Amino acid sequence: MLTAFCISSKRGEILFASLFEPSLTKAIFHPFLTELSSSPHGDPPPAFAKDGQNYVYVFRDDLYWVCAVGKGSFLEQCGHLLITESLSQLHRVCSVLCGALTQHSIMANTTLITEVVQETMNGGILQLQTADKLQSHIYSSVVAAKESSAVSAAPGLLYVDVVEKVWASVASGGTVIRAEVTGSILARCFLPGNPNLTLTLNTQLLTTSQEGFNTGTRMSEVEFGSGVDVGSGDGGRQLSVMTLPGQEMNIVRYTLSPDHPHLLPFTITASSHSLTPSDSELRLKLTSNTGMGTVAPQVTFRTVAPATTAAVMSRTSGPRDQAVHFSPDNKAITWTISQFPGGSYAQAFIRLVDSGGNAVVESGELEFEVSRWVCSGVRVESVKLTPSVNNLNKWVRYLTTSDSVSLRLT
């Protein structure tokens, strides 16, 4: 029935693979990854065939959970819904056993996930299972993310993280053609016992439209974590859950509505000018939209110079820690800015030697990580524990990272 299973990142990196036939290798998933990379306007259908292979997948937690299906009449008889449901169930089981599912947690828990896959797929034959039924058959322990010695030695810490990832395609004038922002509110409590955690947000996490004028955040998908209670006394802005000492808890996952005004953390403008008949200059200006008090530890812009470019010369203005690198082999230009303060801007003037006086650079990719700011505007207004704890250090952190942000420059 099933010949192989894998978990892949959005960038096409296989994080985990299980092969149910001895003759197979991870190369069986190459057509699937190729199809992902060649679908710029959206993911392929949940079930499709390519290069003689049949694939069924679901997308959860920014990861692709993929099955390769053996040739035969299975899909014709049963369709792909059974496999889709089994993959969703596998995701739920791994989420319960491992906590928050990230690329790091997947790679750190490959042994445990291998056991889960062996139990739920049984060499390629689907088995319907739940976490409580599987628990007695799992012998591996969860490998948690490593904490610093200061954190592990201090039991009076509570972390609440609001983390968002951005996928966007932006036109040359800065207009957002398409954007997708997915976010999570995560909590980790280093306290004895199981106190109840209550978070009060600045907005309701709803997918339904509200009557009248509404300036709140609009969501297309909202999924609350296991055991999370959504209170009604404060307009649905209060979320409560029982803490688990040292374990990361997923409070809620959400996706911004496509019609929500997307404010991206950066805007880039570009222009090209002829310097000589053989050389042109690329001028880039990167502006931070995140406001004072925020900082981007590192921002990287990558583009490709015209094929005839022999070398580049550059100068920058703005933040101190900037660098422009050029790779003659693939003509790649990389502009890196470290410790980019919110509300400021940086400029790069890049001379493209032997590119041709009228040469232009058409597009590029922007990678970033921004602290103390999220695109959605979701904020945690208060954090309470019941029963209350004295001398508790509460940290609420905000982080926005890029998944794939492509920019047209001309």
Side-chain angles (χ1 to χ4, degrees), residues 109-143:
N109 290 283
T110 53
T111 303
L112 185 148
I113 295 175
T114 297
E115 290 192 61
V116 173
V117 170
Q118 289 174 348
E119 294 292 336
T120 57
M121 294 184 176
N122 191 23
I125 307 298
L126 292 174
Q127 306 290 322
L128 299 180
Q129 297 284 358
T130 58
D132 55 344
K133 293 179 180 179
L134 282 171
Q135 190 69 60
S136 60
H137 301 281
I138 304 300
Y139 298 97
S140 301
S141 299
V142 177
V143 178

Side-chain angles (χ1 to χ4, degrees), residues 25-47:
T25 66
K26 291 183 181 179
I28 190 175
F29 293 107
H30 288 176
F32 174 83
L33 300 177
T34 301
E35 184 68 17
L36 285 182
S37 63
S38 62
S39 301
H41 302 295
D43 289 338

